[in-house]
Amino acid sequence: MFSNGRGIVIILLFLAGVVNYLDRSALSIAAPFIHNELSLSATQMGIVFSSFSIGYALFNFIGGMAADRYGAKLTLFFAMIVWSVFSGALALAIGFVSLAVIRILFGMGEGPLSTTTNKMVNNWFPPNQRASIVGLTSSGQPLGGAIAGPIVGFISISYGWRISFIIIMLIGIVWSVLWWKLVKEKPESSSVQMKEEIASTVENPCIETARKLQFTFYLKQKTILFTAFAFFSYIYILFFFLTWFPSYLVDVRGLSIEEMSIITVIPWILGFIGLAIGGFVSDFSLKKFIKKGALFSRKLVLVTCLLLSAICIGLAGLVTTTTSAVILVALSVFFLYLTGAIYWAIINDVVDQSNVGSVGGFMHFVANIAGIIGPVLTGYIVDTSGTYTAAFLLAGGLAVFASLAVIFFVHPIIKPIH
């Protein structure tokens, strides 16, 4: 798994996830400071949170197509530079409009990360390891979210919230230099053993290679569309937690900024564990139920864990104590992240390699429409009802419907031979 140059690919993709969520989570941690300094309403903060996903969702798709055309290495290199620069640019924000515009541009930069990560994993690793590697590399994301609280909270209290975004920008620039110098797009042509390993590992019954299929073929398949819908519910819960949970702890539970910064680490740590082991659980399930097909094992883990996440997030809105709310949210994030690698594993299972980036980008684009809708809708619910309860229940209910959709509509794709 770590031999023949693969180790550096894993490490740098993992660190890219850390930087990604450190950048992304910083705004929610700094939100109470920004809210007060710039005199923003809850609805305006919701729009600022959602503006990130406008650029992000669009460039999920564009980034996936760029990875197929120009390579995942080059695409991720430029993406990291762009998002780092616009993360730092938040220090220049003077009001609602400037915040929203900068977040859109920041989201455009972050958009290609997951699709380029998936493409690099597809290039470097055999099919029976890909879910494990996607989960392992992606686990850097919740770890970045975990360290964002203490880091951004400390810097914001000590030096002001604007300084935190400048420091985060510099971290991303350093990563870009290392990525460009140390990583190759694919294994060296001389590494025959590795290429044969990738080509010869467990044949996937879901993929026919008789002829190259058009990208549009996959957009008509229920398996792709309903996997995207399940990913939509995943992103909805994730962004509800990512954007509004810190404010919920301060506004509803009465925690101080210092207490909130520490408490938010707990769900992120569980999320890190969930995402790190989720891919291994999926690949173990694949080996265990190989006779029932790749999708059966993926669906088994996806449906079970997404339902458990839905139940926990729904109950979190009904409990009366801070401790129980934090525990339930943390468990929801854990179960949610157990499914994090599976959406990408399904794409790898059913899509030919030449279309993996584009189809994965399309799925990610559809999913991240939730990042546009969710934070604004939550802000509106809070402003109109004065409570977060309905927002918690809505997030859970959506995931229940998505789980049922996966059961009934996600099946192996039958590809035309002629």
Side-chain angles (χ1 to χ4, degrees):
M1 181 181 291
F2 290 92
S3 61
N4 298 315
R6 291 170 174 169
I8 193 64
V9 174
I10 293 174
I11 291 169
L12 284 177
L13 287 176
F14 175 86
L15 291 175
V18 174
V19 176
N20 180 271
Y21 264 62
L22 174 61
D23 291 6
R24 194 185 304 189
S25 304
L27 182 66
S28 62
I29 300 300
F33 297 99
I34 297 171
H35 171 82
N36 292 330
E37 182 177 324
L38 302 181
S39 301
L40 303 179
S41 69
T43 299
Q44 285 178 316
M45 280 305 301
I47 293 172
V48 170
F49 286 141
S50 291
S51 61
F52 161 84
S53 291
I54 296 172
Y56 185 72
L58 179 61
F59 273 74
N60 292 156
F61 189 27
I62 293 175
M65 297 182 71
D68 281 339
R69 183 165 184 177
Y70 302 110
K73 175 185 174 178
L74 181 63
T75 303
L76 184 52
F77 172 74
F78 279 110
M80 176 68 80
I81 290 176
V82 171
W83 96 53
S84 297
V85 168
F86 283 105
S87 177
L90 274 173
L92 304 176
I94 58 174
F96 168 67
V97 174
S98 59
L99 268 176
V101 171
I102 292 170
R103 288 294 285 184
I104 290 172
L105 296 171
F106 169 68
M108 290 167 64
E110 286 208 343
L113 174 66
S114 293
T115 50
T116 51
T117 296
N118 195 49
K119 182 75 173 178
M120 287 296 289
V121 171
N122 193 275
N123 287 344
W124 277 84
F125 297 90
N128 66 332
Q129 293 181 4
R130 286 174 184 162
S132 301
I133 300 300
V134 169
L136 184 60
T137 55
S138 299
S139 66
Q141 297 173 12
L143 182 60
I147 65 177
I151 290 175
V152 177
F154 171 77
I155 295 173
S156 297
I157 292 168
S158 303
Y159 306 104
W161 63 270
R162 297 177 190 271
I163 299 298
S164 63
F165 291 97
I166 295 174
I167 293 174
I168 291 170
M169 174 187 69
L170 297 176
I171 295 172
I173 298 299
V174 171
W175 182 95
S176 300
V177 174
L178 294 175
W179 174 258
W180 187 254
K181 287 184 174 293
L182 299 178
V183 171
K184 299 182 184 300
E185 177 70 20
K186 291 183 178 181
E188 292 281 3
S189 58
S190 60
S191 183
V192 177
Q193 181 180 359
M194 180 156 47
K195 286 198 166 187
E196 288 178 349
E197 180 185 345
I198 292 174
S200 63
T201 332
V202 190
E203 181 180 355
N204 192 327
C206 296
I207 298 180
E208 298 284 350
T209 56
R211 67 182 179 89
K212 182 178 179 180
L213 294 168
Q214 295 296 317
F215 163 66
T216 52
F217 167 81
Y218 293 104
L219 303 191
K220 304 172 187 176
Q221 305 304 312
K222 290 181 180 179
T223 293
I224 301 300
L225 296 176
F226 283 99
T227 299
F229 174 50
F231 206 4
F232 178 96
S233 71
Y234 169 100
I235 295 294
Y236 192 98
I237 293 176
L238 177 60
F239 268 72
F240 174 67
F241 165 69
L242 178 66
T243 58
W244 280 107
F245 188 60
S247 296
Y248 164 80
L249 291 176
V250 173
D251 297 340
V252 177
R253 297 300 175 180
L255 300 185
S256 67
I257 300 296
E258 294 88 344
E259 291 170 329
M260 176 270 286
S261 298
I262 299 302
I263 290 295
T264 55
V265 172
I266 298 172
W268 282 123
I269 292 297
L270 285 182
F272 164 71
I273 296 170
L275 195 48
I277 68 174
F280 291 95
V281 170
S282 180
D283 281 342
F284 174 79
S285 178
L286 174 61
K287 294 174 184 177
K288 188 77 172 176
F289 300 103
I290 189 65
K291 292 183 179 179
K292 294 189 177 183
L295 279 187
F296 175 84
S297 63
R298 307 300 192 198
K299 287 169 61 176
L300 180 65
V301 179
L302 175 56
V303 171
T304 301
C305 295
L306 192 57
L307 276 174
L308 289 171
S309 178
I311 292 169
C312 289
I313 200 70
L315 290 175
L318 300 175
V319 295
T320 57
T321 67
T322 301
T323 300
S324 55
V326 170
I327 290 172
L328 285 166
V329 169
L331 288 173
S332 178
V333 172
F334 172 73
F335 288 122
L336 188 72
Y337 269 125
L338 277 173
T339 74
I342 299 178
Y343 311 96
W344 300 104
I346 290 174
I347 296 300
N348 282 326
D349 287 340
V350 303
V351 177
D352 60 277
Q353 189 179 50
S354 63
N355 283 301
V356 162
S358 300
V359 177
F362 168 77
M363 175 190 71
H364 207 206
F365 162 74
V366 172
N368 276 284
I369 294 173
I372 301 172
I373 297 171
V376 172
L377 184 56
T378 299
Y380 176 77
I381 290 171
V382 172
D383 267 345
T384 55
S385 68
T387 177
Y388 283 78
T389 301
F392 277 99
L393 293 174
L394 177 59
L398 184 64
V400 170
F401 281 111
S403 300
L404 295 174
V406 170
I407 293 173
F408 291 108
F409 297 110
V410 173
H411 302 291
I413 294 177
I414 306 300
K415 298 181 174 68
I417 299 177
H418 302 291

